[in-house]
Amino acid sequence: MSAPSEISHRAAELRSQLHRHNRLYYTDAKPEITDQAFDSLLRELQALEAQYPDLVVADSPTQRVGGEPIEGFVTAAHSSPMLSIDNTYSFEELQAWYNRTAKSFADTQTIDSNAGSLFPSADAVTCEARLILEPKIDGVALALRYEKGHLVQALTRGDGQKGDDITQNVKTVAAIPLQLETREATPPDFLEARGEIYMPRAAFVELNRQREADGLDLFANPRNLTAGTLKQKDPRKVASGLRYYAHGRGEIPPSFAATHGQFLEQVRRLGLPTNPHTRIVSSLKEAWRFISEFEQTRHTLDYATDGVVLKLNDYIQQDRLGHTSKSPRWCIAYKFAAEQAHTTLLAIEWQVGKTGKLTPRATMEPVPLAGTTVTHASLHNFGEVLRKDLRIGDKVVVEKAGEIIPQVLHPLPEHRPADAPRPHAPDRCPRCDTAVQIENDSRRLQEFEVYQRKVEREKTKAEKENRSPAAIPPPEPIGPLDETARYCPNPDCPAQFRERLTHFAGRHQMDIDVLGEKTIHQLADAGLIHTLGDIFRLHEKREELLALERMADKKVDNLIQGIEDAKPRGLARVLAGLTIRHVGRNSARLFAQAFGSLESLTDANLEDLHSLEDIGPITAQSLHDFLHSDAGRHVIEELKQAGVDLTEPRAPSDSSPLSSPFQNQTIVLTGTLEHFTRDELKTKLESLGAKVTGSVSAKTHLLIAGESAGSKLAKAKTLGIKIWDENQLLQNLPG
Ligand code: IVH
């Protein structure tokens, strides 16, 4: 049904208002309405679009929360190389750059002596001033391409020649306009702005705080977090709160700007955020003054900076100087040294995160550093503690990475007290006393695999040549310094139990939707569940359940029934639900289908587990460890007792006569299907041996296109990939 004209009018008006308020907020930093008012406009538009889907346009503000997960990123060539910048920490080098730059103009033209500037007067007409200075933001470089005012491509720097196409992810970033502003200027046919995408400190601290609570590795600085989140395969998981400043030209029409200052002004008028802390100067002295001022003010900004970038303002001058293979000659970054402080390491404590990870944390004599007092720092893992050779009582050097997170850099052994004790790592979980599992650097493990292969190859070769094999030196044995993590593997560990149970009951695992997070907390608070097995005994505790708040008869029935219904889900889902390190949904399915039952999995040795295609040695080892640990055996016994199905139909193997037409096929689903939900069909096809992925690429074998399929269908057509509609699918499905 197409929308009546007053409705499409209203939608257009809402879109334009939302774009405007977005710009006022992110680009002009002058919001006119509250966040709530903004949300209410957004919701109104969402409601209209839900009612009349034909109102949805690609760059509607409602389309920010991106499409589906993608399998990998497509790379694309940059319009011109994305270079890096020459850095310096010293005034002398900065001066040398300035003089060199000036001299290169002096060779071709006369020096403008009266202006006190080192640059030629011939350029004075187009060059209002000589250098333009900007904060150097510690973020991730991003090239944005707009065509006819619409955002069409976002590329990372990549290797400088080509970058990853992260357009879908970038579209979720509210600070980046989906369409350029038309009120003050007309967008050119095409415009490529390069700039920095970054995460403000507050958002970074908050995200890391959540990660710490979840027992996940912390991001060392906002830049790593930004880079990590932009490479998310699922656009919906791109962290909100990212910001962007344009700081340079990519491919632009020749008449767009004659200087960098003009470029910034133009793109700002078109709605792209640019850094207000930008200054144009005409001497090194002025530049130095700006740098000294900025060194103070930068701590008050809500994003991390690590220096000031100095650029020739005039494009003619820039182009004349050109670039080396690595960096432009017309620009240099003056970097600030990271701030450091000395203090004393008082203790190392161990914390158990929600995933079971045990993390060492340093407590130090409080010391002021870059605006705050530092008392604690994560030491990441015990290998790190040993590699740094830290002792309790050591004087240590601390630094704030990305100006935010304190890090212990190294001890000062010359100040070490004679009796400073070596730190210890717990062998048992501080919460539940289960023996911990240690993970070592996977690269070191690979060294051993490579070694093994070399030995084999040499043996074969020597046999052929009828000689004895040459000795190949083995890698250094794996030792304590290679440790990268320590885990408590106990699914019932109280430090982690609720999280693990939430995961176990989750949609893709046991799918017990009556057992949501709230209910789990309620049951755990009331002391009714302590182990995974306890949930299957809840039916024996009807009275206690009824005594709980918001638990009427009907709800208790539903709860007990819901849990009962989950018992036959099968081994793949059980394994995926047990939070075994490295064993996710996919590998759980592979294991379950290959071995058919928990017994055969438990009987299998490490090589059997490893021999499965797509299963690596680390995953195999992890499952093996779990199945043979006390904690693992215990939870499995409980599930067995409860009558949970621990078997799985075996997948037909390649050579079997049962082999399905979907075996080993990479399939993409798109559009709306009548007979299945996406998840159902995915599970079905996977059980038939297919791999179901989120995006169409040259590797796709088959696209299944339902109603109103869009860009994936178009792409599959261009790539000449086999396409089926739902009918063709139904004809080919067994049974
Ligand atoms: S101009 C040829 N301006 O620093 C490169 N870069 O270390 C011209 N950066 O990859 C870049 N703030 O991502 C420029 N105000 C700024 C910047 C900036 C941060 C980044 C940029 C570049 C990296 C080089």
Side-chain angles (χ1 to χ4, degrees), residues 81-87 133-142 157 194-197 245-249 260 275 278 306-311 323 326-328 330-331 333 335:
M82 271 179 94
L83 302 168
S84 59
I85 314 182
D86 251 354
N87 286 328
L133 315 181
E134 289 167 4
K136 186 170 191 308
I137 300 176
D138 201 10
V140 173
L142 186 67
R157 178 162 178 266
R194 294 178 176 177
E196 209 71 6
I197 186 162
Y245 278 137
H247 59 48
R249 58 176 163 154
H260 184 55
N275 198 323
T278 298
D306 56 358
V308 170
V309 184
L310 299 85
K311 305 170 183 175
H323 53 80
K326 275 181 27 218
S327 49
W330 47 262
C331 118
K335 299 244 285 185

Side-chain angles (χ1 to χ4, degrees), residues 652-660:
S653 75
D654 248 353
S655 52
S656 113
L658 282 174
S659 178
S660 83

